[in-house]
Amino acid sequence: LGMSGDSALGHVAEECRSWLAASSQALVSLARKVFLPIGYPQSVTPNYISFVRAMSLQMLFSHISRVLATQAMLLAVGVGAKEALPMAAVTAWVLKDGLGHLLAI
């Protein structure tokens, strides 16, 4: 308790850095366990990351395409005002679909 103000502040800053380093390591470890296969990288072919990247981009653009198609369909059948109601419907649909995919992981 006999630390000066600068010394105490330096100690707190060092503890924060240590906590952040440990937290980031734990987060990376968790992400690897969740998203990478057991035994990675020995258990997969060399092009695994390229394949996963391509599939992820394909899924992203597929979802964007569905959102735009749904919005166009709602506008075409005359659902509500051009600005407000279709955007609310599409937002609700995206949230529902997005949460469904997220929870499926």
Side-chain angles (χ1 to χ4, degrees), residues 53-66:
R53 188 178 302 128
M55 290 303 296
S56 298
L57 285 172
Q58 186 271 332
M59 289 174 64
L60 172 69
F61 289 118
S62 173
H63 286 303
I64 290 171
S65 175
R66 283 190 216 156

Side-chain angles (χ1 to χ4, degrees), residues 12-30:
V12 170
E14 183 58 37
E15 284 186 18
C16 286
R17 279 191 287 271
S18 176
W19 180 84
L20 284 172
S23 297
S24 64
Q25 287 175 350
L27 187 60
V28 167
S29 177
L30 177 66

Side-chain angles (χ1 to χ4, degrees), residues 4-75:
S4 69
D6 289 340
S7 177
L9 187 58
H11 180 70
V12 170
E14 183 58 37
E15 284 186 18
C16 286
R17 279 191 287 271
S18 176
W19 180 84
L20 284 172
S23 297
S24 64
Q25 287 175 350
L27 187 60
V28 167
S29 177
L30 177 66
R32 286 183 180 179
K33 287 179 184 177
V34 171
F35 294 108
L36 293 175
I38 295 172
Y40 177 84
Q42 293 80 18
S43 64
V44 298
T45 60
N47 66 343
Y48 177 76
I49 294 296
S50 297
F51 172 76
V52 170
R53 188 178 302 128
M55 290 303 296
S56 298
L57 285 172
Q58 186 271 332
M59 289 174 64
L60 172 69
F61 289 118
S62 173
H63 286 303
I64 290 171
S65 175
R66 283 190 216 156
V67 167
L68 294 174
T70 301
Q71 184 179 14
M73 181 190 67
L74 290 171
L75 283 172

